[in-house]
Amino acid sequence: MISSLHATEQGAGSKTIVLLHGFGGCHDIWHEVVPSLSPAARTLAYDLPGHGLSLDFPGAGPAKVAARAVLADLTARSLKRVHLVGHSMGGAVAALMALAEPEKVASLTLLAPGGFGAEINGPLLRRFAAARDPSAIRACLVAMSGPLTRPIDHTVDALGDMRERPGQVGKLIEIAAAMTSDDRQGVIPRDRLDTLTMPVMVVWGSDDPVLPVTHTDNLPAQFHVHHVLGAGHMLIEEAPGLVATIIRRNMNRRARPLRPKLAATG
């Protein structure tokens, strides 16, 4: 039987906010962010292919597969435009979605997204993939966070429950090995990112040990960048209130106009 893509829906309203977790996460990691988002919006927090209740999604692993899967699910839900938020691997998925179907994305908020530079902490991500018990999961989350990390009991519990499902840890190990081959990751070309016209906000912790903050260097001029001083990679756990505020602000920004094409001469 082909597994469907799982999403947890909360709230109601004319606007829809789509939340995409990072590698090794699940829909439940947004539990502190969602209550602080706009009351006039509904949220869809997905389990990306290969994770949680989307574990058995066919072909799970590559960000391109996840991007196509979420876009297809949004179409099936008759959602024409959404505010898209992605963390880490989910950020790469969100960026690919915006490039594939820009008309569907009203705003794009990227939290330490994957694919913005080749450097990646492969050993730490592979260690996180293999973590099964709560103490190992907690140690990995602490290692991925900044020096001022917050208590993360709920996240530890949610990820522990997810990893108890048969086949989950094996799938994460498989995805991590492919994602961090030679301790490098695939990169989305800057010239492609420059074509995005919806409001784009990129948020990065200054002490990110997974994806270096230097990945924000030389981004397209229209991208807004917010550096979170003292934060690491786990921005959703480290600064949920700030993340919610940034999402709300980006939702209210205006898209940039398309640049007119130069007329041919000669």
Side-chain angles (χ1 to χ4, degrees):
M1 185 178 77
I2 294 179
S3 172
S4 61
L5 195 66
H6 175 78
T8 296
E9 183 173 346
Q10 295 186 54
S14 58
K15 296 181 179 180
T16 298
I17 304 171
V18 169
L19 304 170
L20 306 178
H21 62 78
F23 169 73
C26 63
H27 69 273
D28 203 28
I29 56 118
W30 301 97
H31 78 285
E32 285 193 55
V33 174
V34 169
S36 298
L37 295 174
S38 172
R42 67 167 168 165
T43 60
L44 282 173
Y46 281 87
D47 280 347
L48 292 177
H51 294 72
L53 298 176
S54 302
L55 172 60
D56 299 324
F57 194 90
K64 289 181 180 179
V65 170
R68 288 194 293 267
V70 178
L71 285 170
D73 190 75
L74 295 177
T75 297
R77 294 172 182 269
S78 300
L79 290 171
K80 294 183 178 179
R81 274 171 71 80
V82 300
H83 295 274
L84 191 54
V85 183
H87 172 239
S88 196
M89 184 180 79
V93 173
L96 292 174
M97 290 172 60
L99 289 167
E101 297 189 31
E103 69 282 355
K104 263 191 174 158
V105 181
S107 71
L108 182 63
T109 305
L110 305 173
L111 313 173
F116 277 33
E119 299 83 7
I120 189 170
N121 191 335
L124 179 51
L125 286 176
R126 292 191 292 271
R127 176 184 156 202
F128 180 46
R132 293 176 181 268
D133 62 83
S135 61
I137 294 170
R138 180 181 298 276
C140 288
L141 293 177
V142 170
M144 291 190 285
S145 301
L148 304 178
T149 183
R150 305 170 59 256
I152 46 180
D153 292 343
H154 180 92
T155 300
V156 171
D157 291 343
L159 298 186
D161 290 345
M162 180 184 93
R163 288 156 188 257
E164 288 180 358
R165 298 191 68 211
Q168 178 65 84
V169 172
K171 187 63 181 179
L172 292 179
I173 291 173
E174 174 191 323
I175 294 173
M179 186 172 62
T180 66
S181 177
D182 298 322
D183 292 332
R184 310 286 279 181
Q185 66 170 338
V187 177
I188 302 170
R190 288 290 197 270
D191 58 345
R192 291 194 66 201
L193 294 174
D194 194 45
T195 65
L196 297 176
T197 59
M198 74 286 294
V200 181
M201 175 67 79
V202 179
V203 188
W204 223 293
S206 65
D207 293 26
D208 192 326
V210 178
L211 298 172
V213 69
T214 52
H215 287 185
T216 60
D217 295 347
N218 304 312
L219 287 177
Q222 74 273 17
F223 282 29
H224 284 226
V225 178
H226 186 108
H227 292 145
V228 185
L229 297 180
H233 189 66
M234 308 306 289
L235 294 167
I236 300 167
E237 287 79 19
E238 295 180 72
L242 176 63
V243 166
T245 297
I246 289 173
I247 293 170
R248 293 198 311 268
R249 287 178 179 171
N250 201 37
M251 289 171 64
N252 291 325
R253 288 175 53 217
R254 292 186 178 183
R256 66 169 178 146
L258 285 169
R259 287 179 293 189
K261 294 181 179 180
L262 297 177
T265 59

